[in-house]
Amino acid sequence: MSSMNSLPRIAEPVQRWKRFGEKQLFLPNHVVALLRPKAKQSPHLATFAVPLQFNKLDLRDYLHHAYGVETTAIRSFINQPKPERKNKTGPWYRPRAQKMMIAELVKPFVWPEPVKDEEALKPWDHAMYQKLQKDRRAQEKKQKDPKKVPLRNKFAVPDDVKSVSQQARELLREAKGLKVKEKGLKVEGKEEGKKGEVKDE
């Protein structure tokens, strides 16, 4: 009769510890952005926009130490934008490339649905944000096509500028007793002498 000690012992599984970097960063100057996934993307995949000098180990260490997120694999690629021409007439140039990384997460992450209720977005001034974005896009569209930029005399004069010019006219009338024409720049007095001169009483 064989004892339990004589039975062959099954080898215990060896746990492989992950090796992380030892350099500590207390004031990082890089920006890592988590992008919203596409419609049919798996919840186990997360897409990040990272700096060009970032590598896969940097992103793995960053997610582990900053957020406690474990990853199994990371893929990286660089998006090269198309060449553009400055102001449509200037020299050709290529905009700065953007590096992307797709991390395979151990635990899935599902993005929340975007908020569409305007009342719920009021504390964050969403209406003002949309207005600023609309004005910025309109300004960029004008700058891209120099033919559509209106001349300076075609712009509407603001009300505050009109009020300042009106106050200046009134001050001139009170100080010198002169009449200022509304449409011209000539100044007329009560008595005119030679051409180009103005006489007071």
Side-chain angles (χ1 to χ4, degrees):
M1 182 176 176
S2 61
S3 62
M4 296 294 296
N5 296 332
S6 61
L7 294 176
R9 182 173 295 180
I10 300 175
E12 297 180 357
V14 179
Q15 187 176 7
R16 297 181 179 179
W17 298 95
K18 292 184 178 180
R19 297 176 59 185
F20 295 99
E22 298 179 357
K23 184 178 179 180
Q24 297 181 358
L25 295 178
F26 298 98
L27 296 174
N29 57 355
H30 53 259
V31 178
V32 178
L34 174 62
L35 305 181
R36 182 176 286 274
K38 297 181 179 179
K40 297 182 180 181
Q41 186 170 335
S42 172
H44 286 274
L45 299 178
T47 306
F48 297 89
V50 300
L52 289 174
Q53 65 270 20
F54 243 52
N55 56 36
K56 300 177 182 180
L57 300 179
D58 293 335
L59 182 63
R60 187 196 66 174
D61 291 9
Y62 174 77
L63 295 176
H64 174 77
H65 291 98
Y67 301 102
V69 176
E70 298 294 337
T71 58
T72 56
I74 296 177
R75 289 170 287 176
S76 64
F77 57 93
I78 296 178
N79 286 332
Q80 291 288 353
K82 296 181 180 180
E84 297 180 1
R85 201 167 188 175
K86 193 173 183 180
N87 296 330
K88 293 188 176 181
T89 56
W92 289 90
Y93 74 99
R94 185 183 293 274
R96 185 179 177 84
Q98 187 180 30
K99 190 169 187 178
M100 314 291 291
M101 288 190 181
I102 300 177
E104 296 183 10
L105 308 178
V106 175
K107 297 180 180 179
F109 174 75
V110 179
W111 274 72
E113 294 294 331
V115 180
K116 299 181 180 180
D117 188 9
E118 295 293 337
E119 295 294 331
L121 297 174
K122 271 188 176 181
W124 290 273
D125 294 334
H126 186 64
M128 179 62 68
Y129 170 77
Q130 287 183 332
K131 184 178 183 301
L132 292 175
Q133 290 293 328
K134 184 178 179 181
D135 295 343
R136 187 178 292 110
R137 285 193 295 267
Q139 187 67 20
E140 290 177 355
K141 188 176 180 181
K142 288 181 180 179
Q143 292 178 354
K144 287 182 179 179
D145 193 356
K147 296 181 180 179
K148 295 184 179 180
V149 177
L151 299 176
R152 187 172 182 179
N153 57 357
K154 300 295 183 181
F155 284 103
V157 181
D159 295 337
D160 54 349
V161 176
K162 292 181 180 178
S163 62
V164 170
S165 61
Q166 183 66 25
Q167 292 176 10
R169 293 191 184 96
E170 293 177 358
L171 289 175
L172 286 174
R173 291 194 189 98
E174 295 176 0
K176 298 183 179 180
L178 302 176
K179 296 180 180 180
V180 180
K181 289 186 177 181
E182 297 292 336
K183 295 183 179 180
L185 297 177
K186 295 181 180 180
V187 178
E188 296 180 355
K190 294 185 178 180
E191 296 182 2
E192 295 184 358
K194 296 181 180 180
K195 187 176 182 181
E197 297 180 356
V198 177
K199 292 184 177 180
D200 297 336
E201 294 183 355

